[in-house]
Amino acid sequence: MQEENRPYDVDFLYMLRTGKKFARLREFVVLGVSPVEIIRAEGVGFKYHETDEESWALSEIDLSIAEGEFVVILGPNGSGKSTLAKHFNALLLPTCGKMWVGGMLTSQEENHWQIRQMAGMVFQNPDNQIVATTVEEDVAFGPENLGLPSEEIRQRVEEALEIVGMTAYRHHAPHLLSGGQKQRVAIAGVLAMRPKCLILDEPTAMLDPRGRTEVMETVARLNKKEGITVILITHFMEEAVAADRVIIMEKGRIVMTGSPQETFLRVEELRALGLDAPPVVELANQLRSAGVEIPPSVLTVDDLVEQLCG
Amino acid sequence: MRIELENICYTYMPGTPFEVKALKNINLTIEQGEYLAIIGQTGSGKSTLVQHLNGLLKPTSGRILVDGKDISNEKADLREIRRRVGLLFQFPEHQLFAETVYADVAFGPKNMGLPESEISERVEKALRLVGLVPEEVAERSPFTLSGGQMRRVAMAGVLAMQPEILILDEPAAGLDPQGKKELFAQIDRLHQEEGLTVVLVSHSMEDVASRAKRLLVLANGSVQMYGTPAEVFKDAAQLEKLGLGLPQMTLLMHRLKAAGKDVPTDIFTVTAARDAILQMLGGQKR
Ligand SMILES: Nc1ncnc2c1ncn2[C@@H]1O[C@H](COP(=O)(O)OP(=O)(O)O)[C@@H](O)[C@H]1O
Ligand SMILES: Nc1ncnc2c1ncn2[C@@H]1O[C@H](COP(=O)(O)OP(=O)(O)O)[C@@H](O)[C@H]1O
Ligand SMILES: [Mg+2]
Ligand SMILES: [Mg+2]
């Protein structure tokens, strides 16, 4: 048992061999510190029901995510993204294979409490996540369940609201907030648990452009400033360009993994999976085909403007 | 068919502390055969507005004329109007209820009192129109389908009424890129081939920019902007202020222009942007 709980190191070989630009990991290498693995899956398979005829919702998932990484998971509807995400905080347990979070095996029930504190989830529909009548109480809900002293709870709530920029709304009723604000409150609720890892399952799917920007800026800040590991599931390709690494799923399997720039150059493969590159990357690809020189590092409007006007 | 809204106001829970003025003095004419998109932030009144178009909500003040006839008139046949104006709600998959896909899609035509043979004909046609194969799905429970398929079943239910106007309230939210593309291709085909008038509610600028002929921008229950995509997207600052922004390609062109490049800004698609940039670069060399 002790053996199984041993934390693993991230697969440096893979990284060095392929020369991937995982910003975080490179930082680790340069600084000479060893990254700590927060999530590891080995041969994970999952079925919702134990019947033979049902197909596997996940098969042969091998994965390693380092603390501080920003990982985006893409894939068509039904490809297993949500199922995998629920494995990251032991809401679902592998049917076969093994899953570790913070070095703890998810299949051991005595680990669940700690795992769920370590890895918090935010879901698509903000309305289903509201539990209290004021923003403050809503954020306090998790820490209260941990049985923390009230001074500690107050402090955590304050801090979490500050980080997501919702302090001014602490006494407001959550159901009257905009979608983007509700999602930020949901994120604060998770932050108040002091997690190491934040898992967001299509958090912007129901939001308007401003709401999406608010949530994405909050998430990026959490990752860069607070060093929280972020795993983001989305259908918006533009949201993937900020990631250290993109993982693409299809039919329960991981079919592609790499940096955003490398991933979005694989236009044909993406198209076969029913995905697109973000519009700017698609444009860069088309310009390249027409003979214009554009480096693969161009992923955003800013990058392209600089390239064309610089 | 032509729908005119004259000075429409709508207030939820009037006279209570929870009163919300959701629509304020809306004037709008929807012509036969057009493709209109309604955009605006969450809470701007889009869903409230479209529910007026088929008489689901009655304006607090103002008139709605369908082919010149006032539908708030007691004598107006709302059943007939709801048949002719098909409305696909936001997250329509939550409203599926029947045991089988067939029964769900047939619900509307059945209530119109059509003969069984015509019902089955309509169900089959509607399922095909949304890209489902009737033989494969008709007898299945809608709840065993994927989210994208469920949404198509809901749309088939609307189409089976053979409406003249199709109103879609954020039909692509939560769909994957492929599902989204297919859905819009179907809507475009219905518009072009079946001649349906389309009213599309969306908060994705990318989705509306290249398809709608006119855009109506709502904010706080009032019309803020109205015109062709080229006209509306010209005013980037105003859109930004309304929390909406530009399609990525349009934003790019605005930025290039601001940096002193000679490029058009009424550009919405990757292909158009590519051509404009190639022309810009060609011009520079010379
Ligand atoms: N509660 C459930 N019971 C049975 N099957 C499910 C359940 N949830 C998801 N599935 C199935 O598992 C597969 C993966 O689904 P999901 O993880 O939700 O995909 P995604 O999040 O990528 O859209 C799909 O085939 C889906 O139908
Ligand atoms: N059933 C309702 N009762 C009370 N207020 C409502 C109801 N539906 C919508 N509203 C309010 O009316 C305004 C417009 O809402 P809605 O038409 O749903 O906007 P949108 O579709 O643009 O998001 C919002 O302030 C919303 O909170
Ligand atoms: Mg999902
Ligand atoms: Mg709405």
Side-chain angles (χ1 to χ4, degrees), chain A residues 125-189:
Chain A
N125 188 342
D127 293 317
N128 297 344
Q129 298 173 65
I130 295 170
V131 292
T133 51
T134 71
V135 165
E136 205 168 49
E137 288 167 32
D138 202 84
V139 177
F141 182 79
E144 268 165 11
N145 277 325
L146 291 179
L148 296 171
S150 56
E151 180 54 23
E152 166 87 18
I153 295 175
R154 202 189 54 75
Q155 208 181 327
R156 284 191 179 199
V157 169
E158 214 160 88
E159 190 187 290
L161 285 174
E162 193 62 43
I163 294 174
V164 301
M166 288 295 291
T167 306
Y169 294 85
R170 56 194 311 160
H171 302 301
H172 286 228
H175 65 274
L176 294 178
L177 299 175
S178 74
Q181 291 171 329
K182 282 181 198 165
Q183 283 299 46
R184 279 147 70 200
V185 171
I187 293 172

Side-chain angles (χ1 to χ4, degrees), chain A residues 76-77 206-210 235 237-238 274 276 279-280 282-283 286-287 290 292 301-302 304-305 308-309, chain B residues 41-42 91 174-178 181 203 240-241 243-244 248-249 252 255-256 259 261 270 274 277-278 281:
Chain A
N77 289 124
M206 300 177 71
L207 307 184
D208 56 36
R210 182 174 289 169
H235 286 312
M237 302 299 140
E238 314 81 279
D276 290 318
V280 172
E282 172 73 29
L283 173 61
Q286 289 197 15
L287 287 171
V292 182
V301 169
D302 287 343
L304 190 53
V305 170
L308 292 170
C309 302
Chain B
Q41 275 199 290
T42 308
F91 293 95
L175 293 187
D176 61 31
Q178 184 65 24
K181 226 180 276 169
H203 47 222
E240 188 65 35
K241 212 176 90 206
L244 293 171
Q248 279 219 317
M249 289 301 115
L252 173 68
R255 298 282 296 280
L256 287 173
K261 299 286 177 189
V270 169
R274 180 199 61 196
I277 290 174
L278 288 177
L281 293 173

Side-chain angles (χ1 to χ4, degrees), chain B residues 251-264:
Chain B
L251 175 65
L252 173 68
M253 299 324 265
H254 276 266
R255 298 282 296 280
L256 287 173
K257 189 158 194 148
K261 299 286 177 189
D262 180 22
V263 287

